[in-house]
Short mmCIF file of all heavy atoms in Angstrom, two decimals:
data_model
loop_
_atom_site.label_atom_id
_atom_site.label_comp_id
_atom_site.label_asym_id
_atom_site.label_seq_id
_atom_site.Cartn_x
_atom_site.Cartn_y
_atom_site.Cartn_z
N LYS A 553 65.40 60.52 83.80
CA LYS A 553 66.65 59.77 83.91
C LYS A 553 67.00 59.17 82.61
O LYS A 553 68.23 59.13 82.26
CB LYS A 553 66.53 58.68 85.02
CG LYS A 553 66.44 59.28 86.44
CD LYS A 553 66.07 58.22 87.42
CE LYS A 553 67.24 57.19 87.60
NZ LYS A 553 66.89 56.27 88.71
N LYS A 554 66.09 58.73 81.83
CA LYS A 554 66.34 58.13 80.52
C LYS A 554 66.92 59.23 79.56
O LYS A 554 67.89 58.98 78.82
CB LYS A 554 65.11 57.52 79.88
CG LYS A 554 65.29 56.77 78.54
CD LYS A 554 66.19 55.55 78.73
CE LYS A 554 66.27 54.76 77.48
NZ LYS A 554 67.13 53.55 77.62
N LEU A 555 66.37 60.40 79.62
CA LEU A 555 66.86 61.50 78.81
C LEU A 555 68.33 61.82 79.21
O LEU A 555 69.14 62.06 78.25
CB LEU A 555 66.02 62.73 79.03
CG LEU A 555 64.61 62.68 78.33
CD1 LEU A 555 63.73 63.83 78.86
CD2 LEU A 555 64.68 62.71 76.87
N VAL A 556 68.67 61.82 80.46
CA VAL A 556 70.00 62.07 80.90
C VAL A 556 70.94 60.92 80.40
O VAL A 556 72.04 61.16 79.84
CB VAL A 556 70.09 62.15 82.44
CG1 VAL A 556 71.56 62.13 82.91
CG2 VAL A 556 69.41 63.44 82.91
N GLU A 557 70.52 59.69 80.57
CA GLU A 557 71.26 58.53 80.09
C GLU A 557 71.59 58.62 78.58
O GLU A 557 72.73 58.38 78.13
CB GLU A 557 70.46 57.22 80.39
CG GLU A 557 71.06 55.97 79.81
CD GLU A 557 70.04 54.83 79.85
OE1 GLU A 557 69.42 54.71 80.90
OE2 GLU A 557 69.99 54.04 78.88
N LEU A 558 70.56 59.01 77.81
CA LEU A 558 70.75 59.07 76.34
C LEU A 558 71.64 60.22 75.99
O LEU A 558 72.43 60.08 75.03
CB LEU A 558 69.36 59.20 75.68
CG LEU A 558 68.50 57.93 75.74
CD1 LEU A 558 67.10 58.23 75.35
CD2 LEU A 558 69.06 56.87 74.80
N ALA A 559 71.46 61.33 76.68
CA ALA A 559 72.36 62.51 76.33
C ALA A 559 73.81 62.12 76.61
O ALA A 559 74.74 62.51 75.81
CB ALA A 559 71.98 63.73 77.22
N LYS A 560 74.09 61.46 77.64
CA LYS A 560 75.43 60.97 77.98
C LYS A 560 75.96 59.99 76.86
O LYS A 560 77.05 60.08 76.41
CB LYS A 560 75.55 60.38 79.31
CG LYS A 560 75.35 61.39 80.41
CD LYS A 560 75.45 60.71 81.81
CE LYS A 560 75.27 61.71 82.94
NZ LYS A 560 75.28 61.00 84.30
N ALA A 561 75.08 59.06 76.53
CA ALA A 561 75.47 57.96 75.58
C ALA A 561 75.72 58.60 74.19
O ALA A 561 76.61 58.04 73.43
CB ALA A 561 74.42 56.92 75.52
N GLU A 562 74.98 59.59 73.79
CA GLU A 562 75.07 60.17 72.50
C GLU A 562 75.96 61.36 72.42
O GLU A 562 76.03 62.03 71.40
CB GLU A 562 73.61 60.58 72.03
CG GLU A 562 72.63 59.42 71.90
CD GLU A 562 72.86 58.52 70.74
OE1 GLU A 562 73.53 58.99 69.71
OE2 GLU A 562 72.58 57.31 70.82
N ASN A 563 76.63 61.70 73.55
CA ASN A 563 77.52 62.87 73.64
C ASN A 563 76.78 64.17 73.23
O ASN A 563 77.37 65.01 72.55
CB ASN A 563 78.75 62.67 72.72
CG ASN A 563 79.64 61.54 73.21
OD1 ASN A 563 79.96 61.49 74.41
ND2 ASN A 563 80.10 60.68 72.32
N ILE A 564 75.55 64.27 73.74
CA ILE A 564 74.81 65.49 73.55
C ILE A 564 74.92 66.35 74.82
O ILE A 564 74.61 65.91 75.89
CB ILE A 564 73.31 65.13 73.39
CG1 ILE A 564 73.09 64.26 72.05
CG2 ILE A 564 72.45 66.42 73.25
CD1 ILE A 564 71.72 63.72 71.94
N PRO A 565 75.39 67.49 74.69
CA PRO A 565 75.53 68.42 75.93
C PRO A 565 74.15 68.62 76.50
O PRO A 565 73.17 68.79 75.80
CB PRO A 565 76.14 69.66 75.37
CG PRO A 565 75.78 69.74 73.91
CD PRO A 565 75.80 68.31 73.45
N PHE A 566 74.03 68.65 77.84
CA PHE A 566 72.76 68.87 78.44
C PHE A 566 72.94 69.58 79.76
O PHE A 566 74.04 69.63 80.34
CB PHE A 566 72.01 67.49 78.64
CG PHE A 566 72.55 66.64 79.77
CD1 PHE A 566 71.99 66.75 81.03
CD2 PHE A 566 73.60 65.84 79.55
CE1 PHE A 566 72.50 65.96 82.06
CE2 PHE A 566 74.17 65.04 80.58
CZ PHE A 566 73.56 65.11 81.85
N GLN A 567 71.85 70.09 80.35
CA GLN A 567 71.83 70.75 81.63
C GLN A 567 70.63 70.22 82.43
O GLN A 567 69.63 69.87 81.91
CB GLN A 567 71.74 72.26 81.40
CG GLN A 567 72.73 72.82 80.45
CD GLN A 567 72.47 74.20 80.01
OE1 GLN A 567 72.66 75.21 80.76
NE2 GLN A 567 72.09 74.38 78.76
N TYR A 568 70.84 70.24 83.80
CA TYR A 568 69.76 69.87 84.68
C TYR A 568 68.82 71.06 84.91
O TYR A 568 69.31 72.17 85.06
CB TYR A 568 70.26 69.30 86.01
CG TYR A 568 70.98 67.98 85.90
CD1 TYR A 568 72.34 67.86 85.85
CD2 TYR A 568 70.23 66.81 85.83
CE1 TYR A 568 72.96 66.65 85.74
CE2 TYR A 568 70.86 65.54 85.79
CZ TYR A 568 72.24 65.51 85.73
OH TYR A 568 72.87 64.26 85.62
N ASP A 569 67.53 70.81 85.02
CA ASP A 569 66.58 71.86 85.33
C ASP A 569 65.61 71.25 86.40
O ASP A 569 64.65 70.56 86.07
CB ASP A 569 65.81 72.29 84.10
CG ASP A 569 64.89 73.49 84.29
OD1 ASP A 569 65.07 74.13 85.34
OD2 ASP A 569 64.05 73.80 83.39
N VAL A 570 65.93 71.53 87.70
CA VAL A 570 65.21 70.91 88.75
C VAL A 570 64.24 71.91 89.40
O VAL A 570 64.58 73.08 89.71
CB VAL A 570 66.18 70.47 89.88
CG1 VAL A 570 65.42 69.77 91.01
CG2 VAL A 570 67.20 69.47 89.23
N MET A 571 62.95 71.50 89.49
CA MET A 571 61.88 72.36 89.95
C MET A 571 61.18 71.72 91.18
O MET A 571 60.99 70.51 91.14
CB MET A 571 60.87 72.61 88.84
CG MET A 571 61.46 73.39 87.65
SD MET A 571 60.71 73.04 86.09
CE MET A 571 61.57 71.49 85.61
N GLY A 572 60.86 72.52 92.14
CA GLY A 572 60.28 71.96 93.37
C GLY A 572 58.73 71.66 93.36
O GLY A 572 58.25 71.04 94.30
#
Side-chain angles (χ1 to χ4, degrees):
K553 289 170 69 176
K554 185 66 174 179
L555 288 167
V556 169
E557 172 193 319
L558 289 167
K560 291 178 178 179
E562 299 289 333
N563 293 315
I564 299 169
F566 75 95
Q567 306 168 75
Y568 290 99
D569 188 12
V570 182
M571 295 150 279

